[in-house]
Amino acid sequence: SDGLYYGGTTWGSGPTWLAASGTSSWTMPFAPPVETAYTVTSRATSNCGSSQVTPSVGTFTYDTTPPTSVVATTGCSNVFGGRIEGAASDTLSGVAVVRVALQRASDGYYYSGSTWGPTTTWITASGTTAWSVPFVPTVETFYTVTSQATDRSGNVQSVPGTGRFAHDLTQPQSSITATNCLDSWPGAIRGASSDAVSGVAYVQLKLQRSTDG
């Protein structure tokens, strides 16, 4: 995060060699104060005074912040691309895996990747920062997508991403109430409309009078 070196109690700009406890198996007490990547360099010195010429180098990342993920597939599936898509991110260790749960509203069942059942099932998505799950809806209903990411440090997304889309291929219907002969005018032309899945977005009218075509 800032390139500073640990001096045993404080951090400074210059490297400091600290004494470890033990020899053939050694340890050094340390509690990471900042979420970032750390580089550890070790060198050994023998009882006769010779020191390791090429020190060993190791790295680790201290990361306690959960990753995030979002669902991009929302709205209507009339232009469905054959898969559910989304994105995920993690600022330190990186996203390891994204799992997705897909539930349909018609019966509350969850998709397992091939079949549907009453138990919540998590499907492993392809990709991480950009992820996808192959899916072609066969039932006209609403579908709810839940995504949950896990980073390489093992942190699991605490508040999953969610999205909702409708698979609706059936045309809506409309009807006109005011027909036949009227001896008084009710003030408006009235009617009704319906759509079983996604609902009616709007209704348009075309009105022609017969006296002049």
Side-chain angles (χ1 to χ4, degrees), residues 48-210:
C48 292
S50 60
S51 296
Q52 183 178 353
V53 175
T54 304
S56 297
V57 178
T59 61
F60 68 89
T61 300
Y62 180 57
D63 178 12
T64 63
T65 302
T68 61
S69 70
V70 295
V71 178
T73 302
T74 58
C76 295
S77 67
N78 304 54
V79 290
F80 200 75
R83 60 183 185 176
I84 299 166
E85 297 177 314
S89 63
D90 186 84
T91 56
L92 287 175
S93 59
V95 179
V97 66
V98 177
R99 294 180 176 86
V100 175
L102 175 63
Q103 184 183 32
R104 64 187 182 190
S106 57
D107 54 14
Y109 276 20
Y110 291 86
Y111 187 55
S112 68
S114 57
T115 60
W116 294 85
T119 305
T120 304
T121 303
W122 291 94
I123 305 167
T124 300
S126 299
T128 53
T129 53
W131 57 264
S132 64
V133 172
F135 177 68
V136 177
T138 57
V139 176
E140 291 191 57
T141 185
F142 274 98
Y143 295 82
T144 299
V145 185
T146 305
S147 64
Q148 189 174 60
T150 302
D151 66 19
R152 292 190 176 93
S153 295
N155 300 305
V156 180
Q157 183 177 1
S158 55
V159 180
T162 58
R164 191 168 182 253
F165 67 90
H167 180 52
D168 181 9
L169 302 178
T170 302
Q171 296 178 357
Q173 299 297 315
S174 69
S175 60
I176 301 168
T177 303
T179 59
N180 298 320
C181 296
L182 300 173
D183 57 5
S184 63
W185 182 241
I189 301 171
R190 292 180 172 84
S193 64
S194 64
D195 185 88
V197 180
S198 62
V200 178
Y202 56 86
V203 177
Q204 293 176 301
L205 303 179
K206 183 169 65 174
L207 180 61
Q208 184 183 25
R209 67 184 184 185
S210 62

